[in-house]
Amino acid sequence: MTATDPSLTALAQSWCALSLLHGRIEAHIERALQARHDLSAREYSLLDVLSRQHDGEGGHLQMKQVADAVVLSQSATTRLVTRLEDRGLLERYLCPTDRRGIYTNVTDAGLKLLDEARPTNDAALREALDEAAKNPGLAPLVRVVEDLKVPATA
């Protein structure tokens, strides 16, 4: 295999298209959330992930699980949690069964902001996909995204 191998070039081009689609969507959502709710796309994602926790067995996420869900390092996730905690949108507490564990819950203010921001996020996502669908190189990826049936916990 060489650097000019057509299959490698096609694979690299496909990866670039996917990366481009992701970047455009994320940037569009970021602008909308910042403008209307003073919330970054990462902050929205973190609030969304944490709002899905429950009190049953396995219902609370450890920081590594949260980091994986929002696609950040553990240290970046911890800084993000601290920022949202400082804004009163999250609260941390000790795990009742393991004093070494710390859980994070969304506060009522955080849930209210998330509820207000969800339509903005969804509309911005739709707008970004519609715009990307006009690009012949991105249109097939948009169709794949629209056709995916992935559970929220994936």
Side-chain angles (χ1 to χ4, degrees), residues 128-145:
L129 287 170
D130 289 347
E131 186 60 32
K134 297 174 187 175
N135 179 323
L138 299 179
L141 293 172
V142 171
R143 285 192 297 277
V144 169
V145 169

Side-chain angles (χ1 to χ4, degrees), residues 44-54 59 61 89-90 104-107 110-112 114-115 118:
Y44 174 87
S45 180
L46 180 65
L47 288 171
D48 184 54
V49 165
L50 291 174
S51 74
R52 298 174 194 276
Q53 297 181 120
H54 57 83
L61 302 173
L89 304 174
L90 297 178
T104 306
N105 273 342
V106 182
T107 63
L111 290 172
K112 181 177 186 283
L114 180 62
D115 285 344
R118 191 173 316 267

Side-chain angles (χ1 to χ4, degrees), residues 9-114:
T9 302
L11 183 61
Q13 288 173 340
S14 296
W15 170 246
C16 286
L18 181 60
S19 181
L20 178 63
L21 178 62
H22 175 269
R24 286 183 179 181
I25 291 170
E26 189 170 54
H28 191 79
I29 291 172
E30 180 81 23
R31 286 189 300 273
L33 288 171
Q34 281 290 349
R36 295 183 189 113
H37 307 284
D38 191 27
L39 198 61
S40 74
R42 296 280 186 191
E43 291 168 337
Y44 174 87
S45 180
L46 180 65
L47 288 171
D48 184 54
V49 165
L50 291 174
S51 74
R52 298 174 194 276
Q53 297 181 120
H54 57 83
D55 289 331
E57 185 166 331
H60 283 275
L61 302 173
Q62 297 172 347
M63 197 56 70
K64 181 183 181 340
Q65 294 169 304
V66 174
D68 288 347
V70 296
V71 194
L72 289 173
S73 68
Q74 279 189 258
S75 60
T77 302
T78 299
R79 288 190 300 274
L80 186 58
V81 166
T82 299
R83 245 189 353 258
L84 292 178
E85 186 178 34
D86 290 347
R87 289 177 59 186
L89 304 174
L90 297 178
E91 60 189 1
R92 290 185 243 205
Y93 65 95
L94 290 175
C95 170
T97 58
D98 179 0
R99 291 296 201 198
R100 296 169 296 171
I102 297 176
Y103 289 146
T104 306
N105 273 342
V106 182
T107 63
D108 289 341
L111 290 172
K112 181 177 186 283
L113 180 58
L114 180 62

